[in-house]
Amino acid sequence: MKNLFWIGVILSMLVIPGCKKTEEATAFGDFSLKVKHEVEGEALKTDALIYTNAAGNRYMVTEIQWFISDIQLIKEDGEALGITQNVDENIFYIDTDIEETHTINSSYPIPSGNYSGIHFTFGLDKEANKSHRFVNPPESFMFWPEYLGGGYHYMKLNGKWINETGAIEPFNFHLGIGQEYDEGGKSGYDLFEFGDRGHYQHCDGYMPPQKLNSVTAFIHNNFSLKLPLNFTIKTGEPVEIDLIMNIEKWFYGYKVYDHDVWGGAIMQQQEAMDIACRNGVEAFSLRSEK
Amino acid sequence: MSAKSFILKTLLAFTISLFLTGCSNDKPAFPDEPGYKPTPYEIEIPYAFPTKLNIPNDNPMTEEGVALGRFLFYDGRLSGRTHPDSLMSCSTCHIQENNFEPGIDHPVFEGGFVHGLTGQQTHHVVLPLVNLVWNHSGYGWNGGIYKNNDNPNFRTIEDFVRIAVMASDEMDGDTNQVKALFQSLDGYPELFYKAFGSQQITFNNIEKAIAQFVRTFVSAEAKIDRYLRGEEQLSQPELNGFILFTTEEGADCFHCHGGFGNPLFTTHLFYNNGKDTVFDDLADRFAITGDIMDKGVYKAPTLRNISLGGPYMHDGRFETLDEVIDFYSHHLQVSEQVDPLMHHLLRGGVQLTPNEKADLKAFISTLHDENFLKNPAYSKPKKFPDEP
């Protein structure tokens, strides 16, 4: 009996410091993402006609402007912590021309501990993608026209490629809400109904311009990813993780994307945006510094 | 001027300023003066407009500053001269009812091309003064006047005032002469006191007052604004034009000239929109950035009130909106510098049909804001402070 008592004492001595340890886990550390734009593992060189995509298009990139949202850090046990306390603030604009946008800091101290990955949404999801949520530039300049679904471009990747005739042609690889068009072109949308009241309603007798058939449905092309990476948050040791957009990967994976097929503009070509976004699922990777 | 007279003049100016500042700093210049209590001026943010304003920290807007700026903006003696042939002010070239541009039918400035008091024509055509308080990227066709400029003399609208007064193709004036002249005009010193707390007129305060006035110019009451607010429907052709304006397969203007999500109808950013193959203008965007891709690059101006008339583009090459629309439809020129957003380039343009051109023009006319062009707050004062 006596022995058992002592065993109990020893056991609890073992356990108590253990408890103490979990208390320590509520310490905090700093976290930031460094966004990098790369082509085949090298930092992007803008305005340089030096890249070749999977379709064999020789191309250059002038600028990339895009939104990342709903960034969450995944703990070892699977719990997900938003990088901002307020979900509404968890949307970040990134611009190859604006250095400050390449660093995304957590807006509050992140609990220390082991983490196993990062989740994020490319672009804005249906809930978040509301017109006029940003009135100030540069975010407001990303607006996506109401007629095409409203909200914001997820991404503008602008550049030029050498087309099949050998001429240098501009391309706007713009992703956002896609549309399905009524091939008959019989009915249209009343642009008067918009914004918070939801998307347009049909209006009898309205004929959109002849080039455009009326829109019958909108498709949200945004996607979310959960990328694995082990990292540890500790007090006094800020963690910096590189989030890399591997630009060449927008153009293959699910299907090869050929500029000669899709041309210079795809905001009204859902098929092209669909291929791009399915490819895009593989376009991001994480790299821990050090 | 000789070194000796320079020193004498400086000494004199110094003594005068010591004397005058001495008066105004210690106690009001006149015992019965109400004192320096300026009323803050608030810019109301119109529907869907940006909330961030480009107002320098050292020049907060006040009712008194704006009121003084209005007099100066319109007072031809801003040239520093009083002879009727030598009068010039901002309003000589920036005329309210013409969107603060001279207008293509100007009686003196033929075709809307302005020249200064010396007769020298300005290098570029006039830019409108519309919603400038929302421009954060740069003033002037090449954006050479911008917030973070290393050179502190080329950052703000205040700097534009000094440039306009001194430039040989504008007022060709002398800032000392200008401030001395206004110091001598009845009524002005009191207005400077009310606005800035000192009857001693400085050129710096002249700049500040005019810049404050220019920042009040807000155009946000056009038909398009009422439509965006859900108050008024557009006509069928206008709606068609709006769709053309904001679709890539249509006229594709929105990436640079705004739309529903950007009611400024400009990004205030810089692009080469495909007008030329050879670039020999020494005052394009390249002159500011030194980036070879910025040859032939200029600021995309706002399209608000643009249907009032040309001359259009930095060099005023187009007289009418029809010519501009034809240009974007069929006459794009290929060069390395053309912005990728001009993705219709190899087809020569967006290829609008005559009906579509008419619709696009109908839409652009919904950006016409009569309220702005006739707003009494921006108009010429009935009389100047020294007039009985």
Side-chain angles (χ1 to χ4, degrees):
Chain A
M1 262 327 210
K2 250 190 176 173
N3 282 353
L4 263 183
F5 171 77
W6 285 113
I7 287 168
V9 170
I10 291 164
L11 268 180
S12 53
M13 279 169 71
L14 280 174
V15 169
I16 288 168
C19 289
K20 249 191 175 162
K21 245 186 200 144
T22 47
E23 265 167 24
E24 261 172 19
T26 57
F28 299 95
D30 294 321
F31 175 87
S32 60
L33 270 185
K34 294 272 175 203
V35 182
K36 306 267 158 97
H37 303 92
E38 297 184 355
V39 183
E40 279 151 20
E42 301 279 328
L44 169 70
K45 267 187 83 179
T46 52
D47 291 334
L49 197 52
I50 53 174
Y51 302 118
T52 305
N53 68 14
N57 307 138
R58 195 136 181 99
Y59 72 101
M60 67 176 206
V61 173
T62 303
E63 72 236 316
I64 308 176
Q65 298 154 337
W66 61 290
F67 281 111
I68 188 170
S69 63
D70 200 18
I71 304 174
Q72 300 170 3
L73 308 184
I74 316 290
K75 283 178 141 175
E76 242 176 357
D77 64 5
E79 193 193 340
L81 293 177
I83 197 170
T84 61
Q85 260 157 334
N86 182 343
V87 190
D88 276 350
E89 286 159 16
N90 203 339
I91 304 177
F92 301 88
Y93 171 76
I94 298 161
D95 189 324
T96 45
D97 287 338
I98 308 177
E99 189 66 36
E100 305 89 88
T101 64
H102 301 179
T103 304
I104 297 172
N105 295 314
S106 58
S107 76
Y108 66 103
I110 301 294
S112 339
N114 292 328
Y115 289 76
S116 63
I118 297 174
H119 162 284
F120 65 89
T121 296
F122 167 75
L124 299 95
D125 68 17
K126 189 176 174 178
E127 255 326 285
N129 201 5
K130 295 264 158 52
S131 296
H132 289 161
R133 79 169 298 148
F134 301 109
V135 289
N136 286 303
E139 289 88 346
S140 60
F141 296 163
M142 293 291 279
F143 83 92
W144 187 265
E146 294 305 285
Y147 184 79
L148 305 182
Y152 295 84
H153 287 70
Y154 308 149
M155 177 165 81
K156 296 182 192 171
L157 190 164
N158 297 327
K160 296 180 184 177
W161 91 101
I162 300 180
N163 72 14
E164 51 201 343
T165 73
I168 298 177
E169 185 165 348
F171 70 79
N172 299 174
F173 190 75
H174 290 191
L175 304 175
I177 296 177
Q179 318 86 37
E180 273 172 18
Y181 289 90
D182 174 3
E183 296 306 329
K186 277 185 223 81
S187 56
Y189 283 88
D190 179 358
L191 276 165
F192 197 51
E193 298 288 334
F194 52 67
D196 290 337
R197 284 169 290 165
H199 287 300
Y200 328 127
Q201 324 240 309
H202 285 275
C203 156
D204 284 338
Y206 168 52
M207 284 291 289
Q210 59 256 48
K211 266 195 188 170
L212 307 165
N213 292 322
S214 57
V215 179
T216 55
F218 292 120
I219 302 120
H220 290 264
N221 287 308
N222 61 283
F223 55 85
S224 295
L225 296 176
K226 210 184 247 181
L227 301 179
L229 183 79
N230 292 324
F231 59 96
T232 305
I233 302 268
K234 279 194 204 126
T235 313
E237 288 179 36
V239 174
E240 269 187 19
I241 306 273
D242 287 352
L243 169 67
I244 301 146
M245 179 191 283
N246 303 283
I247 295 159
E248 77 281 4
K249 295 199 176 172
W250 285 107
F251 306 120
Y252 71 93
Y254 165 67
K255 273 187 189 163
V256 169
Y257 181 102
D258 186 341
H259 290 302
D260 283 327
V261 170
W262 300 110
I266 57 171
M267 293 175 72
Q268 291 167 264
Q269 299 194 65
Q270 172 54 22
E271 220 182 317
M273 286 198 286
D274 184 63
I275 294 174
C277 287
R278 286 173 198 266
N279 288 340
V281 170
E282 297 291 332
F284 295 90
S285 55
L286 298 177
R287 184 166 61 202
S288 86
E289 300 241 312
K290 75 176 172 181
Chain B
M1 150 193 350
S2 73
K4 197 172 157 198
S5 78
F6 176 74
I7 290 168
L8 274 177
K9 273 196 184 167
T10 315
L11 268 180
L12 184 67
F14 189 57
T15 337
I16 291 174
S17 71
L18 264 186
F19 172 70
L20 286 169
T21 47
C23 284
S24 52
N25 281 353
D26 297 340
K27 45 190 135 66
F30 304 104
D32 55 349
E33 205 164 65
Y36 172 55
K37 277 197 222 83
T39 320
Y41 181 102
E42 289 287 335
I43 291 185
E44 241 180 78
I45 309 289
Y47 178 73
F49 269 52
T51 52
K52 289 188 190 146
L53 305 176
N54 185 354
I55 300 175
N57 287 335
D58 66 353
N59 191 15
M61 312 254 301
T62 64
E63 298 282 354
E64 293 79 0
V66 170
L68 170 60
R70 183 174 165 210
F71 285 122
L72 296 167
F73 186 92
Y74 282 99
D75 196 326
R77 294 168 291 189
L78 194 63
S79 67
R81 307 170 184 98
T82 51
H83 188 277
D85 289 342
S86 305
L87 299 177
M88 185 176 261
S89 72
C90 314
S91 62
T92 311
C93 299
H94 297 287
I95 301 170
Q96 182 188 7
E97 58 266 32
N98 290 325
N99 203 25
F100 290 101
E101 296 195 273
I104 198 150
D105 307 322
H106 195 282
V108 178
F109 300 135
E110 219 173 296
F113 292 89
V114 299
H115 52 75
L117 282 174
T118 61
Q120 186 185 336
Q121 194 173 308
T122 57
H123 187 73
H124 294 146
V125 302
V126 179
L127 275 161
L129 307 180
V130 179
N131 297 336
L132 293 189
V133 74
W134 286 284
N135 178 343
H136 296 268
S137 46
Y139 298 108
W141 281 103
N142 60 16
I145 311 289
Y146 61 99
K147 231 184 275 182
N148 302 320
N149 198 332
D150 289 339
N151 185 336
N153 298 323
F154 296 97
R155 289 183 178 165
T156 60
I157 298 177
E158 284 79 348
D159 294 319
F160 243 108
V161 173
R162 189 191 60 254
I163 293 166
V165 167
M166 293 176 64
S168 59
D169 56 0
E170 297 187 54
M171 298 176 211
D172 196 31
D174 171 311
T175 54
N176 285 322
Q177 203 175 318
V178 175
K179 75 175 181 198
L181 175 56
F182 281 100
Q183 191 77 59
S184 74
L185 298 174
D186 278 352
Y188 270 110
E190 284 91 302
L191 293 178
F192 275 89
Y193 179 79
K194 283 186 185 153
F196 301 109
S198 171
Q199 295 217 24
Q200 158 87 64
I201 297 179
T202 62
F203 195 76
N204 202 357
N205 284 343
I206 292 177
E207 290 177 0
K208 284 183 173 181
I210 297 178
Q212 287 189 35
F213 177 56
V214 170
R215 290 194 178 98
T216 66
F217 298 172
V218 177
S219 173
E221 285 299 330
K223 185 171 185 184
I224 189 67
D225 296 292
R226 295 192 295 278
Y227 168 73
L228 295 180
R229 294 195 299 256
E231 294 164 11
E232 191 178 338
Q233 181 59 290
L234 298 184
S235 73
Q236 201 54 69
E238 289 164 351
L239 263 183
N240 293 349
F242 188 27
I243 293 175
L244 286 167
F245 191 86
T246 56
T247 50
E248 284 190 317
E249 304 300 326
D252 197 18
C253 314
F254 66 104
H255 280 120
C256 307
H257 290 294
F260 183 78
N262 171 12
L264 297 173
F265 290 95
T266 173
T267 54
H268 292 128
L269 295 176
F270 308 90
Y271 314 89
N272 180 316
N273 62 349
K275 294 182 304 300
D276 298 299
T277 51
V278 177
F279 308 108
D280 48 14
D281 177 8
L282 295 179
D284 57 1
R285 185 69 180 155
F286 171 74
I288 306 302
T289 64
D291 180 347
I292 198 79
M293 291 304 284
D294 283 338
K295 287 254 178 205
V297 166
Y298 299 92
K299 180 168 60 194
T302 178
L303 299 191
R304 283 184 173 273
N305 303 307
I306 203 76
S307 54
L308 266 172
Y312 295 112
M313 306 295 166
H314 70 280
D315 52 5
R317 67 177 65 190
F318 301 127
E319 277 182 21
T320 63
L321 202 50
D322 294 316
E323 285 173 49
V324 173
I325 292 174
D326 277 348
F327 154 72
Y328 280 112
S329 274
H330 314 291
H331 304 301
L332 300 185
Q333 303 292 312
V334 177
S335 72
E336 204 187 327
Q337 281 83 1
V338 176
D339 196 276
L341 291 168
M342 306 292 297
H343 61 83
H344 297 268
L345 179 66
L346 295 190
R347 293 200 287 149
V350 293
Q351 304 291 336
L352 300 183
T353 64
N355 278 344
E356 288 171 335
K357 287 179 188 173
D359 286 346
L360 180 61
K361 213 173 136 188
F363 167 69
I364 291 175
S365 62
T366 69
L367 309 181
H368 180 93
D369 182 357
E370 203 56 28
N371 219 60
F372 173 75
L373 304 170
K374 300 238 168 79
N375 189 335
Y378 311 149
S379 68
K380 185 174 180 179
K382 295 254 151 34
K383 55 181 186 169
F384 290 106
D386 58 328
E387 284 172 357

